[in-house]
Amino acid sequence: MSKIIVAPSILSSDFANLESEIKKLEQNGADWVHIDVMDGHFVPNITIGAPVVKAIRRVTKLPLDVHLMIDNPEKYIKDFALAGADYITFHYEAAKDNAEEIINLIKSYNIKAGISIKPKTSTIEIKKYLNLVDLVLVMTVEPGFGGQKFMTDCAKKIKEIKDCAPQSLIIEADGGINNQTAQYCKELGVNALVAGNYIYSQTNMKEAVASLR
Ligand code: DX5
Ligand code: ZN
């Protein structure tokens, strides 16, 4: 089995010290930096925008995995692309008929494109995009907040996607990931794991990151 990509979510980090928080992730073996963008419409919370992504880009070479939990994602792809994102993932529920255009727009900036589904969205709805995207992000909590409980039923979608996806597709799980739920996701075929609360609540971050692999 190939190596699991660990993508800590900075949503649980100290925003007053973002640079040192990012350096800490680098030193403790993180593969990517997961950045949760929320607009107060698609989800009830408001978090980070493109200017902050641009600032993060200046202090790390780690791939920036930008998770857009926003309405009208097509309006903001350019800003996040120019800010230095490596992966941009939008929500299928926010795009619907526009999904293919949004994927092409992301790719037009030479950036990897991801599509995400909320807990109530079936994998059948995104089947036709599996050959077009680089990554599928399976939400294992309702998007909006860190620190929620992992939804086991949602994780089953990892296998459903794995069974019909091209080999190169990255399947990423996000929400409620800890050393135990990570194990379950790996059995189902996950390639990348996002974790916020778990990684930032452990006393030894290096061990926490390693425990997800
Ligand atoms: C939830 C975000 C997640 C979140 C994960 O809306 O997409 O990335 O920060 O946090 P934990 O690991 O705390 O569930
Ligand atoms: Zn996320």
Side-chain angles (χ1 to χ4, degrees):
M1 202 177 171
S2 59
K3 191 180 163 242
I4 298 288
I5 295 161
V6 177
S9 164
I10 56 164
L11 192 56
S12 298
S13 71
D14 176 4
F15 282 178
N17 294 293
L18 258 189
E19 180 171 7
S20 61
E21 290 284 68
I22 306 273
K23 296 282 177 221
K24 209 159 115 189
L25 293 181
E26 286 179 350
Q27 285 154 13
N28 289 304
D31 299 299
W32 293 354
V33 179
H34 185 82
I35 303 174
D36 287 307
V37 176
M38 305 188 191
D39 66 350
H41 290 277
F42 183 73
V43 290
N45 203 3
I46 300 179
T47 56
I48 293 168
V52 177
V53 174
K54 193 174 174 189
I56 294 172
R57 178 74 292 163
R58 289 206 318 268
V59 299
T60 187
K61 290 200 165 57
L62 286 181
L64 303 183
D65 178 30
V66 174
H67 177 191
L68 298 181
M69 285 163 274
I70 63 174
D71 281 333
N72 306 119
E74 66 283 354
K75 282 193 188 169
Y76 301 94
I77 303 292
K78 183 180 180 188
D79 291 352
F80 286 98
L82 298 182
D86 295 278
Y87 288 81
I88 295 182
T89 296
F90 66 95
H91 268 268
Y92 166 72
E93 301 85 357
K96 293 273 164 84
D97 295 345
N98 263 347
E100 189 166 343
E101 285 163 43
I102 296 173
I103 293 165
N104 290 333
L105 181 61
I106 297 170
K107 288 183 166 175
S108 73
Y109 291 98
N110 258 326
I111 288 172
K112 306 278 187 205
I115 191 165
S116 182
I117 47 173
K118 297 207 284 185
K120 291 192 185 79
T121 305
S122 144
T123 54
I124 296 167
E125 297 200 45
I126 58 160
K127 229 174 169 171
K128 62 178 174 191
Y129 305 112
L130 297 184
N131 282 305
L132 306 176
V133 291
D134 301 286
L135 179 151
V136 172
L137 175 54
V138 174
M139 288 305 302
T140 41
V141 298
E142 277 299 336
F145 301 93
Q148 302 181 77
K149 193 172 178 291
F150 181 79
M151 297 164 85
T152 307
D153 274 356
C154 295
K156 292 181 182 145
K157 294 181 199 172
I158 294 168
K159 181 153 174 21
E160 289 171 21
I161 293 165
K162 188 89 188 167
D163 287 346
C164 56
Q167 267 242 309
S168 58
L169 184 76
I170 298 174
I171 305 174
E172 184 177 39
D174 184 4
I177 299 295
N178 57 37
N179 54 348
Q180 284 162 14
T181 56
Q183 193 52 44
Y184 181 57
C185 292
K186 283 187 275 182
E187 282 163 20
L188 295 167
V190 89
N191 312 100
L193 291 166
V194 176
N197 186 56
Y198 174 69
I199 284 183
Y200 285 93
S201 66
Q202 303 299 300
T203 39
N204 186 327
M205 189 185 272
K206 194 167 232 155
E207 279 175 15
V209 169
S211 74
L212 299 180
R213 293 200 201 283

